[in-house]
Amino acid sequence: MEEVQRHSVHTLVFRSLKRTHDFFVANQSQLPEIDETLEKLKYNIKARDTYGLVFDRTAKAKALAAKRGDSDRIDGQNGVKDGVLAITAGGEQESNVLEGTTTQMALVPVATPASQNTSSAVQILPKKAPTIPKPKWHAPWKLCRVISGHLGWVRCVAVEPGNEWFATGAADRVIKIWDLASGKLKLSLTGHVSTVRALAVSPRHPYLFSCGEDRQVKCWDLEYNKVIRHYHGHLSAVYTMSLHPTIDVLVTAGRDSTARVWDMRTKANIHTLTGHTNTVASVVTQAANPQIITGSHDSTVRLWDLAAGKSMCTLTNHKKSVRAIVLHPSLYMFASASPDNIKQWRCPEGNFIQNLGGHNSIVNCMAVNPEGVLVSGGDNGTMFFWDWRTGYNFQRFQAAVQPGSMDSEAGIFSMTFDQSGSRLITTEADKTIKIYKEDDEATEESHPINWRPEIIKRRKY
């Protein structure tokens, strides 16, 4: 038996490379032939995917130009040549072609007396100066109670429909039930194995729903204080949840970029709402369309049709991640929060209303009460109080951290008003729960509205 000669690793690798080179050297310069038909098809698909909207608009514009050219020839005027678009002076000719479209799109009324001919210039009425409504006076808010008991960041809060108690979930994996009037601990629920990120209390059943970073969604029976259902399906941490106000449906969303719709009783995953490209940080539901609204770290807000399980509209106005969405309790509107600003929208199509600017940090949470007070909480502990209708910021302050805490633990993670709208509950990074209420002694004279419309006008228009 011959002894196998041992070589160094360098020699063996070099020989392997040489064999590979000798094997392929014969057809090294021979590239496969390019199929021109397939290449052209590939470029057409790419162009249609990227610029399809532009192509459609160009086709419509050319069709409109051709139609306008035909009507011009009927009137004895020069038609539009080669489909080239021209900006005309307007008048009766424009109105006849567009058949009322101009009246819908016009920003100012156009006066066209009968005595004018078609070639005359359009008369533009003087633009009316925009009126800025005066904001409603709201009493300033003050801290009235600090509750401690959790051993980690307090991430979520939910108030019971009867307004007697509220629940909080934290990074210590415990859900705690507190008496709303006294602030005393009533109950602790254990079962999650990671941070509890969202809670929801059912208004029609004795159920409390919870979800967390352990990918679990649980339904607790509050008569027995036990978990009676699990909803399995999320592939990663579950960050937010919402109960539908009229039907037995639960919506959860999280880091797997999806929102899932569950049948509360059968635990069936009715819909998986896909479309976001990053973590879904906030979800809200309402009885009217759109029934589900989600905000994501991909900087978009999506409006969903619950019956079809499809996206109705995508709002791309935000430049940074959207971590909070809140519905107005009585108006058909909602607000979304991002580090760039807070935006207000009108349902059902998501029409933009106005920006509320001022935060210079990540906005983690928002809450609004029936009086039209919108509150937003930042990652640096700042709290801003706004008048919903006008967007006027009537109060702002820095939430105080607990003695012994670092300044970096001033973040506000969640907030909600109680059922009466008179108390605001916040959960924070210093492991405490804070309750705020309006200052009863404040009056419109002691805390006047610092409202200067000329400055607002310069900023907005």
Side-chain angles (χ1 to χ4, degrees), residues 94-326:
E94 291 273 338
S95 302
N96 290 336
V97 173
L98 297 180
E99 294 178 347
T101 311
T102 47
T103 58
Q104 294 174 2
M105 295 174 64
L107 297 178
V108 292
V110 177
T112 52
S115 58
Q116 289 184 343
N117 56 23
T118 54
S119 62
S120 63
V122 176
Q123 276 190 344
I124 299 178
L125 296 178
K127 190 174 181 180
K128 194 176 180 181
T131 57
I132 305 170
K134 186 175 181 180
K136 179 184 174 184
W137 183 81
H138 298 284
W141 291 69
K142 63 178 184 179
L143 178 65
C144 68
R145 177 174 285 136
V146 178
I147 302 170
S148 58
H150 278 291
L151 302 178
W153 288 356
V154 192
R155 300 301 304 237
C156 52
V157 59
V159 179
E160 178 253 343
N163 215 33
E164 293 181 358
W165 53 265
F166 65 95
T168 56
D172 60 5
R173 311 184 296 278
V174 180
I175 300 167
K176 289 182 181 287
I177 311 291
W178 310 86
D179 184 71
L180 187 58
S182 64
K184 292 181 179 177
L185 181 65
K186 298 179 71 172
L187 183 69
S188 292
L189 301 173
T190 57
H192 281 280
V193 295
S194 189
T195 303
V196 181
R197 291 298 294 259
L199 295 167
V201 186
S202 173
R204 297 188 306 279
H205 313 286
Y207 295 157
L208 168 70
F209 295 87
S210 65
C211 64
E213 293 180 8
D214 52 8
R215 298 181 292 180
Q216 295 187 46
V217 181
K218 297 175 182 286
C219 174
W220 303 78
D221 188 327
L222 295 174
E223 292 177 346
Y224 300 96
N225 300 330
K226 289 183 179 179
V227 178
I228 57 170
R229 295 187 188 97
H230 287 91
Y231 302 88
H232 297 288
H234 276 287
L235 307 176
S236 192
V238 191
Y239 284 170
T240 179
M241 62 167 34
S242 179
L243 281 169
H244 195 281
T246 55
I247 56 178
D248 290 345
V249 160
L250 172 71
V251 184
T252 59
R255 206 163 61 199
D256 58 5
S257 307
T258 64
R260 294 176 185 267
V261 183
W262 309 92
D263 185 316
M264 191 189 294
R265 295 191 175 279
T266 65
K267 302 179 287 185
N269 188 182
I270 303 167
H271 294 305
T272 300
L273 308 178
T274 58
H276 285 295
T277 57
N278 208 326
T279 300
V280 182
S282 183
V283 60
V284 293
T285 55
Q286 61 182 5
N289 284 328
Q291 293 190 312
I292 301 173
I293 304 170
T294 55
S296 168
H297 288 194
D298 63 10
S299 308
T300 65
V301 176
R302 282 181 179 258
L303 283 57
W304 306 85
D305 181 1
L306 178 57
K310 292 181 180 177
S311 176
M312 296 167 53
C313 176
T314 304
L315 310 176
T316 58
N317 303 45
H318 282 289
K319 297 181 180 66
K320 296 183 180 179
S321 59
V322 181
R323 294 177 186 243
I325 290 178
V326 66

Side-chain angles (χ1 to χ4, degrees), residues 40-79:
K40 189 175 179 182
L41 191 62
K42 182 180 81 169
Y43 284 123
N44 284 343
I45 291 171
K46 275 190 172 183
R48 172 57 62 181
D49 181 54
T50 309
Y51 302 108
L53 189 62
V54 179
F55 291 159
D56 293 341
R57 288 191 177 180
T58 307
K60 287 179 183 176
K62 285 184 178 179
L64 183 62
K67 186 177 178 183
R68 187 179 295 144
D70 292 341
S71 63
D72 286 349
R73 278 191 286 275
I74 291 169
D75 294 338
Q77 298 176 356
N78 292 329

Side-chain angles (χ1 to χ4, degrees), residues 325-395:
I325 290 178
V326 66
L327 289 168
H328 193 282
S330 55
L331 301 177
Y332 198 25
M333 296 171 66
F334 69 95
S336 58
S338 175
D340 49 11
N341 47 42
I342 298 168
K343 296 180 186 292
Q344 288 181 339
W345 313 88
R346 184 181 289 114
C347 297
E349 280 141 18
N351 305 108
F352 174 73
I353 304 298
Q354 63 181 344
N355 278 327
L356 312 181
H359 273 289
N360 55 1
S361 69
I362 294 170
V363 183
N364 284 326
C365 52
M366 288 189 299
V368 61
N369 70 0
E371 298 296 317
V373 175
L374 172 68
V375 192
S376 54
D379 215 36
N380 58 356
T382 54
M383 286 178 67
F384 283 50
F385 292 78
W386 315 82
D387 177 48
W388 177 279
R389 190 171 60 93
T390 59
Y392 170 67
N393 179 209
F394 67 88
Q395 186 183 7

